[in-house]
Amino acid sequence: LLDPEDILKLFSNIELLCGFHVVFLADLKKKDKEIHLTFQRMADFLKMYTQYVNSYDVAMTTMHRLNKKKKFKAFLDKQQAAAAQGLMSFLIMPVQRIPRYVLLLKELIKNTNDDDQTKEPLRQSLTKVQDIAAYVNEQKRQMESRTTLLNISARLRNVGHFELFKPDRHLVKKGVLHSWHHRLTKQKQHHFMLFTDVVLWTSPSNVELTEGKTEGKHGCLMMGG
């Protein structure tokens, strides 16, 4: 029904995540172990979600494409009728997992007495999981930034020896500036892009930088550190 490439695009490293949660659940079920000990010992493994979260947009694009295939769509409809939830609902669950652990720990802290000796360890567990959630979000932001930089770099033409793509360069803001000249009867458009260390401006033939190739006059201003 699906080739291996589409399966990887849809499910990313889900098998690895499932394997971890088998161990995680078994540890949570131990009667002689406090829940905060499990989180403190295993929280770092939650960083494995970075790959899945970063691939989620690819999974959604793949689902949109595959849904146009009648055989695949019929299979999904049959499975949804039996499971009461569609594949899309299951695919987003790993993305929501770490935020739900944050909510769980907050509720445990809220409902734990102040004089309970586990309250402070629960707070420590919450801080650790929140830090990991921030790490996963930051990795996704950096991945999206690099993808944007590559897309812009691929569309630029006639820029000489200037190399836009650098691993430590990120797009901060972009926009269109309209200018008028007293000798001209129509306005000119300039695309300005502010990066972490350079400002790039273009006079593209197309209206949106994100569509087609950006040709014409270009300029850049390097910013010192």
Side-chain angles (χ1 to χ4, degrees), residues 27-72:
D27 208 66
L28 285 173
K29 286 183 174 181
K30 291 180 180 178
K31 295 181 180 180
D32 60 338
K33 180 168 287 189
E34 299 288 350
I35 187 172
H36 64 84
L37 295 176
T38 298
F39 274 100
Q40 290 176 5
R41 188 168 71 89
M42 295 189 173
D44 285 333
F45 288 101
L46 295 175
K47 291 180 180 179
M48 293 188 297
Y49 276 89
T50 301
Q51 179 179 337
Y52 189 95
V53 172
N54 286 350
S55 303
Y56 182 71
D57 290 343
V58 174
M60 294 301 96
T61 301
T62 304
M63 272 291 294
H64 180 72
R65 172 173 55 83
L66 292 174
N67 268 327
K68 296 178 182 178
K69 297 182 178 182
K70 292 183 179 180
K71 188 175 181 180
F72 181 75

Side-chain angles (χ1 to χ4, degrees), residues 152-159 164 193 200 202 209 214 218:
I152 294 174
S153 182
R155 293 186 177 103
L156 289 173
R157 295 293 184 272
N158 303 322
V159 291
L164 179 63
M193 289 156 281
L200 177 69
T202 74
L209 178 66
T214 302
H218 300 75

Side-chain angles (χ1 to χ4, degrees), residues 21 39 46 49-50 52-53 92-107 126 128-137 140:
H21 277 286
F39 274 100
L46 295 175
Y49 276 89
T50 301
Y52 189 95
V53 172
I92 199 172
M93 286 182 178
V95 177
Q96 300 169 331
R97 181 62 57 185
I98 298 178
R100 286 180 175 176
Y101 284 147
V102 170
L103 293 176
L104 170 65
L105 289 168
K106 284 182 176 180
E107 282 298 308
L126 173 61
K128 190 166 188 177
V129 175
Q130 286 176 324
D131 288 345
I132 291 171
Y135 168 84
V136 172
N137 290 336
K140 180 174 175 57

Side-chain angles (χ1 to χ4, degrees), residues 7-207:
I7 291 174
L8 181 61
K9 287 180 179 179
L10 280 176
F11 301 107
S12 186
N13 63 333
I14 193 67
E15 289 187 5
L16 184 63
L17 296 178
C18 287
F20 160 70
H21 277 286
V22 169
V23 178
F24 187 68
L25 179 60
D27 208 66
L28 285 173
K29 286 183 174 181
K30 291 180 180 178
K31 295 181 180 180
D32 60 338
K33 180 168 287 189
E34 299 288 350
I35 187 172
H36 64 84
L37 295 176
T38 298
F39 274 100
Q40 290 176 5
R41 188 168 71 89
M42 295 189 173
D44 285 333
F45 288 101
L46 295 175
K47 291 180 180 179
M48 293 188 297
Y49 276 89
T50 301
Q51 179 179 337
Y52 189 95
V53 172
N54 286 350
S55 303
Y56 182 71
D57 290 343
V58 174
M60 294 301 96
T61 301
T62 304
M63 272 291 294
H64 180 72
R65 172 173 55 83
L66 292 174
N67 268 327
K68 296 178 182 178
K69 297 182 178 182
K70 292 183 179 180
K71 188 175 181 180
F72 181 75
K73 185 67 167 57
F75 172 79
L76 286 186
D77 290 343
K78 182 178 179 181
Q79 297 301 315
Q80 182 171 348
Q85 281 186 299
L87 180 58
M88 295 282 282
S89 298
F90 289 111
L91 288 176
I92 199 172
M93 286 182 178
V95 177
Q96 300 169 331
R97 181 62 57 185
I98 298 178
R100 286 180 175 176
Y101 284 147
V102 170
L103 293 176
L104 170 65
L105 289 168
K106 284 182 176 180
E107 282 298 308
L108 286 173
I109 293 169
K110 179 181 176 181
N111 291 283
T112 300
N113 294 329
D114 290 340
D115 59 351
D116 193 308
Q117 62 180 358
T118 65
K119 189 151 191 174
E120 183 56 32
L122 281 171
R123 289 196 183 105
Q124 295 172 0
S125 297
L126 173 61
T127 298
K128 190 166 188 177
V129 175
Q130 286 176 324
D131 288 345
I132 291 171
Y135 168 84
V136 172
N137 290 336
E138 175 61 18
Q139 292 299 307
K140 180 174 175 57
R141 187 195 67 80
Q142 290 187 19
M143 187 274 294
E144 291 173 343
S145 177
R146 287 191 290 268
T147 301
T148 299
L149 197 62
L150 282 170
N151 288 338
I152 294 174
S153 182
R155 293 186 177 103
L156 289 173
R157 295 293 184 272
N158 303 322
V159 291
H161 297 291
F162 174 69
E163 291 289 341
L164 179 63
F165 182 78
K166 289 174 58 178
D168 58 344
R169 178 177 288 154
H170 305 291
L171 178 67
V172 178
K173 191 175 183 62
K174 67 178 179 178
V176 178
L177 177 67
H178 300 272
S179 64
W180 290 84
H181 192 279
H182 68 280
R183 294 181 179 178
L184 300 176
T185 58
K186 64 179 181 179
Q187 63 181 350
K188 294 180 66 177
Q189 286 186 341
H190 306 272
H191 284 284
F192 276 77
M193 289 156 281
L194 173 64
F195 298 91
T196 47
D197 65 333
V198 63
V199 177
L200 177 69
W201 62 91
T202 74
S203 298
S205 56
N206 55 306
V207 177

